[in-house]
Amino acid sequence: LTSSDYEITFGKLLPGHIVKVEITGEQKTVGIGENTFIYQVTDSYGNDVTELYNVATIFGTLNIKPIEITLRTQGGEKIYDGTPLTVTGDDTWSISVGQLYTGHTIYVEQTGAQTSAGTSPNTLKYVMLDENGADVTSCYLVTEDFGDLTVNPIKLTIKTEGDTRPYNGEE
């Protein structure tokens, strides 16, 4: 990303003088950088007269924003049986908002598991790669919308038996 636009915002050049501006700023990855430049002032004969000017430079900003996506996983529920509850597979997660840049691929490993009674998120590990296999995960702003994995306790009812006797003064 670069911008070749510039303007003189204060002062003016003497007649016959021109300013040559070469933009040197560029931003190649997600983030913010300065749109830097170099300049030279010349007279009508092409002589460098830059030293006649006290030039203040104000660099613009170049901003490459990440691609926003949301990764969603499905949840699940079961009664405790001593084994972990997992909900995995290609059809149990999705990109629910946004999309990958053309040529990029996402690799996902579902890591969520719940064994004991309780609830935890159905988490993912993920990496985005470009067409050359380079990691471009930092080019994305990922919102995670993880489903819940819930293991419910085993329902158990305990009933005591009753008894009857006539009062005899003892407990």
Side-chain angles (χ1 to χ4, degrees), residues 43-61:
D43 64 16
S44 57
Y45 301 107
N47 297 315
D48 183 350
V49 293
T50 306
E51 73 279 351
L52 301 177
Y53 295 88
N54 182 9
V55 178
T57 57
I58 301 171
F59 298 133
T61 56

Side-chain angles (χ1 to χ4, degrees), residues 25-132:
E26 64 180 30
Q27 185 68 28
K28 294 182 178 181
T29 60
V30 170
I32 298 174
E34 291 185 327
N35 193 21
T36 56
F37 60 89
I38 56 175
Y39 62 91
Q40 180 183 42
V41 181
T42 57
D43 64 16
S44 57
Y45 301 107
N47 297 315
D48 183 350
V49 293
T50 306
E51 73 279 351
L52 301 177
Y53 295 88
N54 182 9
V55 178
T57 57
I58 301 171
F59 298 133
T61 56
L62 301 171
N63 186 0
I64 296 180
K65 295 180 177 185
I67 299 168
E68 294 183 29
I69 64 171
T70 298
L71 296 178
R72 174 176 287 157
T73 60
Q74 292 181 8
E77 188 172 345
K78 75 173 188 173
I79 303 294
Y80 174 79
D81 65 3
T83 64
L85 169 62
T86 59
V87 178
T88 61
D90 289 341
D91 61 342
T92 62
W93 71 271
S94 64
I95 298 175
S96 61
V97 174
Q99 62 185 17
L100 296 178
Y101 181 77
T102 303
H104 289 185
T105 305
I106 185 169
Y107 293 94
V108 172
E109 175 189 354
Q110 289 181 263
T111 55
Q114 181 70 30
T115 302
S116 59
T119 300
S120 64
N122 189 14
T123 54
L124 297 174
K125 287 184 183 178
Y126 49 86
V127 64
M128 287 76 149
L129 302 177
D130 69 11
E131 56 277 353
N132 298 317

